Amino acid sequence: MLPAQRRDLLLTRLERDGRLVAKDLAAELGVAEDSVRRDLRELAAAGLCQRVYGGALPVSPAVADYATRGGVATESKRRVAAAAARLVRPDMTVLLDGGTTALAVARALPHDLRVTVVTHSPTVAVALLEHPGAEVFVLGGRLFKHSAVTSGAAAVEAAQWVHADLFLLGVTGVHHETGLTTGDADEAAMKRALAARSADTYVLASSEKIGAASPFTVLPLSEVSGIVTDAPEDHPVLDGLRRGGTPVVMAD
Amino acid sequence: MLPAQRRDLLLTRLERDGRLVAKDLAAELGVAEDSVRRDLRELAAAGLCQRVYGGALPVSPAVADYATRGGVATESKRRVAAAAARLVRPDMTVLLDGGTTALAVARALPHDLRVTVVTHSPTVAVALLEHPGAEVFVLGGRLFKHSAVTSGAAAVEAAQWVHADLFLLGVTGVHHETGLTTGDADEAAMKRALAARSADTYVLASSEKIGAASPFTVLPLSEVSGIVTDAPEDHPVLDGLRRGGTPVVMAD
DNA sequence: CTTAATCATGCGTGTTATTGCGCGTTGTGG
DNA sequence: CCACAACGCGCAATAACACGCATGATTAAG
């Protein structure tokens, strides 16, 4: 293991786990704790992590930069994705939406889980190349660059032959009155088409989506089986959703 | 072993292993560590790898995964890709195959070129997200993990509505007797279906493909408009192809 | 055919990076 | 306030490194 490779690994772990414990990593990598601590010090000096007693934590604001650049999800999205991934049971057929949260779900799926995934996102399809247990079907069509998914008539048509158990739906707004919304009309239609082909639909709603609204309605809240979110349990908008009869799944 | 050949090998290894260890490579290739280090320095200067203590790593951790999936092309493939990209004229409709060479073509296309690209490779589709001038259509279907393309009946069917000017075809073997070959039967069928939908078909044949043959025939050589290659002008197999009436495009 | 030039290579030399360990210091929890 | 773990720092050994130079091979020019 090259020293530089080890530092890369530390950053990857930090991303995945949200924290680093120097002692554990030293044991795992078979090096002295000193070396790990030295690495952490350097990474912290480079602004890539925040040094704390016992290990290191992600840099609070700078993470956003990294996230937008490499398609890496924020901690919030990762929590939601992890909870959503737990909804996927072996041998299910899952419709997976596009967007960074759905991408995080793909990455959060156990690599050897036997599952059939249907997606209209090439990005998600590429991520699932690393999952030997996943049978992947791509829905073709015109590529909508902004969110990197296929949409339009051809894509909607391609979705018609699918019968899925679960649709994990990404949106940009979840509001108790306007329902689920997104920023593009074609995209909204595509999401509706997918929801119609699945027994259950769960919404991936990281905290910043809660209470927000975008121009185009995807579905009314009554049409979904549940909302997966990491917003605080007692968030006022969540209370509103619950009163409206929408089940809320907490992402611890 | 030629120096340039050795550098290509280094890149191939970097692709495969995700890292290079100078000491090991020196021992394996039977050259001094200095020579390997010199190569690594040059490759790093050319932006093809990242020099680190002990060896080298892919250019950025973010593309490290990409590299192991074969996202990075060798110099040879890049030369072929650059030549093939020059075949693409403004406002054309191009069918772009999957595989590392085709991916390199996608990346080699001018970012503002107005062109319609139809592809059955999610990887290529993702690469074209950065090309604002490119209108991208994805052909859906079952994802064949090994080469990261969709294939099978659904994909072939989806290809039927396309009318393209140019198909850039990737194969694993170009042989004057067995013709164009690849390693999977479904994939071969898909490539045939794509060739049938395009006015012209050019084969992407980096030098290592020339003279090689794989289990499944894609097309006879007589069916293609030309072969793009970087093999030496006077390569005996190329002479054989020319005598057989196959046009050869040199990638200098 | 000969000579000059260019290039890759291997080796010696001095430099730099990395590592593990000991030691005194500092932070944490009871 | 105390015990303990984590910490930073300096040290020395080791490995990797860059640089310069001479050698041998291949190529270009004469």
Side-chain angles (χ1 to χ4, degrees), chain A residues 92-119:
Chain A
M92 261 183 144
T93 296
V94 181
L95 270 167
L96 199 43
D97 205 351
T100 50
T101 312
L103 179 59
V105 172
R107 289 178 178 156
L109 288 174
H111 281 218
D112 52 356
L113 180 68
R114 274 183 41 190
V115 63
T116 300
V117 178
V118 182
T119 183

Side-chain angles (χ1 to χ4, degrees), chain B residues 97 167 169-173 178-185 187-193 195 201 203 214-221 223-224:
Chain B
D97 204 353
F167 174 33
L169 166 63
V171 295
T172 57
T178 56
L180 308 169
T181 50
T182 191
D184 181 78
E187 213 185 339
M190 183 68 191
K191 288 172 192 291
R192 257 195 309 277
T201 297
V203 181
S214 292
F216 298 96
T217 296
V218 177
L219 286 173
L221 286 167
E223 296 282 318
V224 304

Side-chain angles (χ1 to χ4, degrees), chain A residues 38-142:
Chain A
R38 260 185 281 249
D39 289 342
L40 293 183
R41 244 177 290 166
E42 287 186 32
L43 293 176
L48 298 173
C49 72
Q50 185 193 347
R51 192 76 176 81
V52 297
Y53 197 87
L57 292 175
V59 193
S60 348
V63 160
D65 243 35
Y66 199 74
T68 51
R69 267 212 326 269
V72 179
T74 62
E75 184 61 27
S76 167
K77 287 177 180 175
R78 222 181 349 261
R79 277 196 299 269
V80 171
R86 281 194 289 273
L87 296 175
V88 180
R89 308 307 314 161
D91 295 313
M92 261 183 144
T93 296
V94 181
L95 270 167
L96 199 43
D97 205 351
T100 50
T101 312
L103 179 59
V105 172
R107 289 178 178 156
L109 288 174
H111 281 218
D112 52 356
L113 180 68
R114 274 183 41 190
V115 63
T116 300
V117 178
V118 182
T119 183
H120 64 130
S121 161
T123 320
V124 167
V126 169
L128 289 171
L129 288 175
E130 293 172 16
H131 295 244
E135 180 79 43
V136 181
F137 284 83
V138 178
L139 299 175
R142 181 175 178 281

